[in-house]
Amino acid sequence: MGFRRGWTILAASSTIALALAGCTNNNAAPSDSPASPAPSASATSSASPNDSNAELDKLGLDSNLKFKETRKITVEVYDRGNDGGSKPEDNFYTQYIKDGMLRDHNVEVTFVPVPRWTEGEVINNLLAANQAPDIGVTYDYATIQTYANMGGILDLAPLVEDNKAILPNLWGYLTETNINWDKDPSTGTLWALEARLNTLNRINTFVREDWLKKLNLPAPTSLQEFEDMLVAFKDNASTLLGSDADKMIPFSTSFDIGWRADHLTASFVPNDITDRDIFIHDFDDRHLLYPNYKEGIRVLNKWYNEDLIWKDFPLYPAGDQTEDNLMKAGYVGAFIHNWDYPYRNGNDSIHASLQKLVGPDAAYIAIEPFANDAGDYKKFLSGPVDRKVFFPASNKEPVASMLYLDWISELDNRVFLQFGEEGVTHEKMPDGSLATIAATGEKIMNSPANIDYTITSNGLDLGDPDLTVKSMANGYAGVDSRFIVTANQITTHEGRIGKNANVGAIQAEDGQGQALKEKRDTFLNKAVTASVDKFDSVYDAGMKDYLNSGGQAIIDERTSAWEKYFGNETMLK
């Protein structure tokens, strides 16, 4: 989430991406340290750098890359507030990391929890107070840039270059692409490393497959068919819900309209949009400023006024479970959300809850109903980048922090964190792939595949693409594989993949990320819920305020930056 910088979109693709496995959230009571796999490559003599002992000695390291005197670092970790989850800063997996870093590098690690759903605001406050963890993680690059301009962020360029020999896993995994994605082409400064996104899967449109069958409706393949389906759900509420007919919600969304309606709004964007136009307007990662976006929101406004959308959607903040509970109870006909959302969280998933409460045929299935002006089901996908990892200027142990990133990027460590212990949280299949086991007690994961700890990586990666794909398919206990296969195929179908158009810092974005995000969410909510005759005035007023509050200045500076580096070109080569 948050506002991205310095990238644009290039070339359509029908790539079927790899995927994240869902994990259960059960009660946890961490106690003993987890068993560890073989020592990481960074701790073995085979991976020792060619640097002389004298050079290592300057860093305080011995020939095994262990500090001669114990160093201490703090690391940010998201607190998702999961019911029944473990303490994000103190659990089975944090102990695994602590033990490994102490064993391999003589570094003591302390985790600092940051609320996931308000992470941008909290990171702002911690940086302002000079209290940020030594290793920070955020989706909001604008915040990093703001504090970098005030001297509050360390330049990582010399750290990754000068210490390259002792960071083989970090360089091998992120490669030049992700390490230098944000490197300023003019100054050479590097304020953050981009984590590797192993899957381009983003969102999907889901409908109740059993409701389609009950009403003898085909899966919609156009906007009109989708709307007709919603009307059919509403008109047949008694048939579908019986005595709960008054609880019918044909279509659900949330306060984050930009994310939750993205496939709908993207279908209104002209297919021939240029790389130039995308870069200039893409600082809002919900695609708010793309041409014709407003018409997608107009459709939602129409549906809202026809009682096809959940009336209370603006009332609940990020992390609230009300909407999920409505889905689990069987009241919601369709929604747009993260690509595998109904199938996540094992026994507590929307899918599992529906099957228990409604029946074995009750299920959501991904569909593809929103075609653009060229008849393509276009999706605007990310480049291979994810969260931004940075060091605040208060970090007094940058080399130890770099070794942490190297350790967390090592294959054995990543796989253990993603899957846990064999026979406990996963089993090895005859084909060599791994299948997750619903975790209980101290072995649960607070985030899918523990992405909150694999901070240089998002998405399953076993080092073998074939095994990774097979393991992904194994990763949804109790879910028929056809649902996962369908969702995985649709989410990236006819996608337009992000590429790096790095033009350096856009000064107008400084400090604007969170403020513009809040303005966007607020005025989109008001536009959707306005009366039809007031829609244009409400939307236009909200957009004018957004632009006057910094949005237009960003557009203008991005336009100038594009012209500086790419001249009159409209497409990247």
Side-chain angles (χ1 to χ4, degrees), residues 329-512:
Y331 304 144
V332 177
F335 63 94
I336 302 171
H337 214 309
N338 296 340
W339 80 273
D340 60 346
Y341 197 73
Y343 319 120
R344 294 181 176 185
N345 299 326
N347 293 330
D348 192 42
S349 69
I350 292 168
H351 181 86
S353 298
L354 268 179
Q355 304 242 311
K356 286 183 287 188
L357 292 175
V358 180
D361 295 327
Y364 286 103
I365 191 166
I367 62 169
E368 199 168 28
F370 305 123
N372 66 12
D373 58 348
D376 293 338
Y377 295 96
K378 192 67 67 188
K379 290 93 176 175
F380 294 99
L381 305 176
S382 170
V385 296
D386 187 55
R387 296 153 294 179
K388 297 86 176 74
V389 181
F390 67 96
F391 297 172
S394 56
N395 185 324
K396 304 303 182 186
E397 295 288 352
V399 175
S401 299
M402 275 293 167
L403 286 173
Y404 179 92
L405 297 183
D406 187 80
W407 192 93
I408 213 75
S409 300
E410 198 275 327
L411 179 61
D412 285 347
N413 296 330
R414 285 189 282 111
V415 171
F416 185 88
L417 289 170
Q418 289 178 339
F419 287 97
E421 291 183 311
E422 184 173 359
V424 180
T425 55
H426 78 270
E427 59 181 323
K428 194 167 187 177
M429 308 304 287
D431 62 3
S433 65
L434 305 183
T436 56
I437 300 172
T440 57
E442 64 182 5
K443 308 296 172 65
I444 69 161
M445 298 181 185
N446 291 319
S447 56
N450 262 336
I451 62 171
D452 294 343
Y453 301 112
T454 61
I455 58 174
T456 58
S457 174
N458 188 341
L460 295 186
D461 178 16
L462 279 76
D464 181 314
D466 183 56
L467 288 181
T468 300
V469 172
K470 290 178 179 177
S471 298
M472 179 275 293
N474 296 336
Y476 298 83
V479 180
D480 189 315
S481 63
R482 71 182 179 91
F483 292 111
I484 308 303
V485 170
T486 299
N488 187 53
Q489 181 178 11
I490 288 176
T491 188
T492 55
H493 179 231
E494 296 183 344
R496 189 161 171 170
I497 300 174
K499 297 294 182 181
N500 196 7
N502 192 357
V503 299
I506 302 297
Q507 300 298 330
E509 293 184 26
D510 288 359
Q512 293 295 332

Side-chain angles (χ1 to χ4, degrees), residues 56 104 149 153 165 170 185 199 228 249 282 301 387 393 406 415 422 425 437 449 510 540:
L56 291 176
D104 295 345
N149 292 340
I153 304 294
L170 184 68
T199 168
D228 292 343
I249 300 173
D282 209 43
N301 171 262
R387 296 153 294 179
D406 187 80
V415 171
E422 184 173 359
T425 55
I437 300 172
D510 288 359
D540 294 347

Side-chain angles (χ1 to χ4, degrees), residues 17-319:
L18 304 180
L20 284 171
C23 302
T24 55
N25 293 320
N26 301 310
N27 291 329
S31 54
D32 60 323
S33 301
S36 301
S40 65
S42 63
T44 65
S45 57
S46 62
S48 296
N50 295 322
D51 298 60
S52 68
N53 288 340
E55 291 172 323
L56 291 176
D57 191 61
K58 291 179 183 178
L59 299 176
L61 295 167
D62 65 18
S63 60
N64 291 316
L65 303 186
K66 293 184 68 172
F67 284 101
K68 297 174 183 179
E69 295 183 4
T70 303
R71 305 298 175 92
K72 298 180 180 181
I73 63 172
T74 54
V75 180
E76 176 190 347
V77 62
Y78 285 147
D79 182 352
R80 296 175 181 269
N82 296 339
D83 291 338
S86 63
K87 292 179 65 175
E89 73 276 22
D90 182 18
N91 58 49
F92 178 79
Y93 301 101
T94 59
Q95 193 62 50
Y96 167 78
I97 296 171
K98 291 177 181 180
D99 289 346
M101 280 297 295
L102 194 60
R103 176 194 66 227
D104 295 345
H105 297 302
N106 196 20
V107 175
E108 289 185 5
V109 177
T110 300
F111 288 93
V112 179
V114 170
R116 169 65 185 93
W117 311 116
T118 55
E119 60 99 1
E121 178 183 345
V122 173
I123 286 296
N124 259 296
N125 293 336
L126 289 172
L127 285 168
N130 202 35
Q131 295 177 347
D134 294 323
I135 299 177
V137 185
T138 184
Y139 287 93
D140 186 3
Y141 190 88
T143 293
I144 298 174
Q145 185 67 63
T146 296
Y147 284 92
N149 292 340
M150 298 189 305
I153 304 294
L154 288 183
D155 180 6
L156 299 181
L159 282 170
V160 292
E161 291 293 343
D162 295 349
N163 298 297
K164 189 172 183 178
I166 63 171
L167 304 172
N169 300 301
L170 184 68
W171 275 93
Y173 188 60
L174 294 188
T175 74
E176 181 84 23
T177 297
N178 284 56
I179 284 179
N180 287 320
W181 186 277
D182 294 316
K183 190 171 186 177
D184 191 294
S186 299
T187 66
T189 52
L190 180 64
W191 304 123
L193 307 183
E194 293 280 350
R196 175 172 165 174
L197 185 64
N198 293 312
T199 168
L200 299 183
N201 293 10
R202 196 165 184 262
I203 62 173
N204 268 320
T205 304
F206 297 97
V207 301
R208 281 284 295 274
E209 182 183 47
D210 52 320
W211 284 11
L212 292 177
K213 292 178 179 178
K214 201 165 189 176
L215 298 180
N216 197 29
L217 295 172
T221 58
S222 69
L223 174 60
Q224 187 59 57
E225 289 179 2
F226 189 83
E227 181 175 309
D228 292 343
M229 177 196 71
L230 297 183
V231 172
F233 289 166
K234 176 187 173 185
D235 291 347
N236 291 278
S238 295
T239 300
L240 298 171
L241 292 176
S243 59
D244 288 326
D246 62 327
K247 297 182 175 65
M248 162 63 70
I249 300 173
F251 183 81
S252 186
T253 190
S254 80
F255 79 97
D256 190 356
I257 289 291
W259 177 259
R260 293 291 300 279
D262 186 71
H263 279 186
L264 170 63
T265 53
S267 71
F268 284 87
V269 177
N271 193 63
D272 61 358
I273 184 173
T274 66
D275 295 339
R276 176 184 183 276
D277 283 343
I278 288 179
F279 170 76
I280 289 170
H281 298 101
D282 209 43
F283 58 91
D284 181 279
D285 66 357
R286 276 28 177 179
H287 311 135
L288 173 72
L289 300 166
Y290 283 17
N292 223 33
Y293 184 94
K294 177 181 177 181
E295 297 311 306
I297 303 301
R298 189 188 301 278
V299 170
L300 293 176
N301 171 262
K302 175 178 180 287
W303 291 351
Y304 185 86
N305 283 283
E306 293 176 355
D307 294 326
L308 299 177
I309 293 181
W310 181 35
K311 289 295 185 183
D312 294 336
F313 80 85
L315 302 179
Y316 298 96

